């Protein structure tokens, strides 16, 4: 005799959110979940403690239920990885908002389609990356991005910070770059100045 599916809920809100898991918890209990794993963590990573604990306790025939797909993950790649872990445990998956249920043939077909689109997206990214590298080689560049700043702008940043007229933070805001970028520009500038000074000392000596 086949046992009744054991529904397990997973609820998540991101760190820093004003909202709580209350709405999700209510929806999951209403859907018949007998246990709910709650987490406060970013949806951008898949190795979340409560999520991993839940997956580790899954048994054949269990069903993982979420309020919305993005509660499982905000990354399509990670979501498919989590879905694979759930499937390997012999469990099913349901999303209440999107009405996805992998315990049905229609739900399984939908997830297969999602996986196909994800693979297509990865193939397109690889193709664009290869094309970009080929173009870079054709233009005589080894690879990577061009500098966002012109040489004149880099010199202005370096001189302004090195002379104390402006702070690194001010120049970063002015040229819409990060402070670490400004720090690297100033460090390279000072290294060049020191080298020139050393060369002059050697010649005069």
């Amino acid at each position: 005799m086949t046992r009744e599916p054991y529904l397990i809920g997973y609820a998540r809100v991101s760190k820093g959110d004003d909202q709580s898991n209350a709405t999700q918890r209510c929806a999951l209990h209403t859907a018949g979940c007998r246990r709910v794993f709650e987490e406060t963590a970013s949806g951008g990573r898949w190795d979340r403690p409560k999520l991993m604990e839940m997956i580790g306790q899954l048994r054949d025939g269990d069903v993982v239920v979420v309020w919305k797909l993005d509660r499982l993950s905000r990354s399509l790649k990670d979501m498919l990885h989590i879905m694979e872990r759930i499937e390997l445990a012999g469990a099913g998956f349901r999303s209440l908002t999107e009405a996805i249920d992998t315990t049905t043939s229609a739900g399984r077909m939908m997830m297969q389609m999602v996986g196909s689109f994800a693979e297509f997206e990865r193939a397109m990214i690889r193709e664009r990356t290869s094309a970009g590298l080929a173009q870079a080689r054709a233009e005589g560049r080894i690879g990577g991005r061009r500098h966002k700043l012109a040489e004149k702008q880099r010199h202005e940043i370096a001189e302004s910070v090195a002379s104390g007229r402006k702070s690194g933070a001010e120049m970063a805001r002015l040229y819409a770059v990060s402070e670490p970028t400004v720090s690297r520009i100033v460090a390279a500038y000072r290294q060049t100045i020191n080298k020139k000074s050393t060369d002059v000392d050697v010649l005069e000596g």
Side-chain angles (χ1 to χ4, degrees):
M1 181 176 178
T2 306
R3 73 179 178 89
E4 185 76 14
Y6 190 90
L7 304 188
I8 301 174
Y10 176 74
R12 180 192 65 78
V13 292
S14 297
K15 288 182 179 179
D17 279 359
D18 293 332
Q19 60 183 327
S20 69
N21 282 321
T23 301
Q24 298 177 57
R25 188 189 315 122
C26 180
L28 293 171
H29 282 305
T30 301
C33 291
R34 297 165 66 180
R35 185 176 181 186
V36 176
F37 287 81
E38 298 186 43
E39 191 140 52
T40 301
S42 168
R45 51 181 298 178
W46 69 270
D47 56 339
R48 287 163 255 147
K50 288 297 181 181
L51 177 64
M52 293 297 100
E53 181 185 350
M54 178 192 70
I55 292 176
Q57 295 182 18
L58 290 177
R59 298 176 299 167
D60 188 54
D62 288 346
V63 178
V64 174
V65 185
V66 296
W67 178 49
K68 290 178 66 176
L69 274 177
D70 65 2
R71 299 303 87 194
L72 194 66
S73 179
R74 291 189 180 278
S75 162
L76 179 57
K77 177 185 175 182
D78 289 344
M79 183 183 71
L80 292 172
H81 178 77
I82 295 167
M83 294 290 294
E84 184 179 3
R85 293 282 299 272
I86 293 172
E87 184 179 358
L88 286 173
F93 172 78
R94 292 179 190 168
S95 174
L96 302 178
T97 302
E98 289 86 3
I100 294 174
D101 186 347
T102 65
T103 63
T104 67
S105 56
R108 286 192 294 273
M109 182 180 70
M110 181 173 292
M111 289 312 301
Q112 287 170 358
M113 290 174 62
V114 170
S116 297
F117 281 120
E119 179 55 37
F120 175 75
E121 181 184 32
R122 286 193 291 269
M124 292 296 291
I125 291 173
R126 287 195 296 269
E127 185 177 329
R128 286 197 297 269
T129 300
S130 296
L133 290 173
Q135 182 65 28
R137 285 192 292 270
E139 294 175 358
R141 292 183 286 123
I142 300 300
R145 296 178 296 177
R146 295 180 185 270
H147 288 304
K148 290 178 63 176
L149 300 168
E151 188 59 37
K152 182 179 179 181
Q153 293 173 314
R154 295 168 67 84
H155 188 73
E156 172 63 23
I157 289 173
E159 281 201 331
S160 296
V161 176
S163 66
R165 294 199 308 271
K166 296 283 186 179
S167 68
E170 288 174 320
M171 297 308 289
R173 286 194 298 271
L174 181 62
Y175 285 95
V177 294
S178 67
E179 288 188 45
T181 296
V182 170
S183 297
R184 286 193 294 271
I185 291 172
V186 175
Y189 172 80
R190 284 175 173 157
Q191 187 176 8
T192 301
I193 295 299
N194 290 337
K195 186 176 185 304
K196 287 180 179 179
S197 177
T198 301
D199 291 343
V200 169
D201 289 342
V202 169
L203 290 173
E204 290 179 349

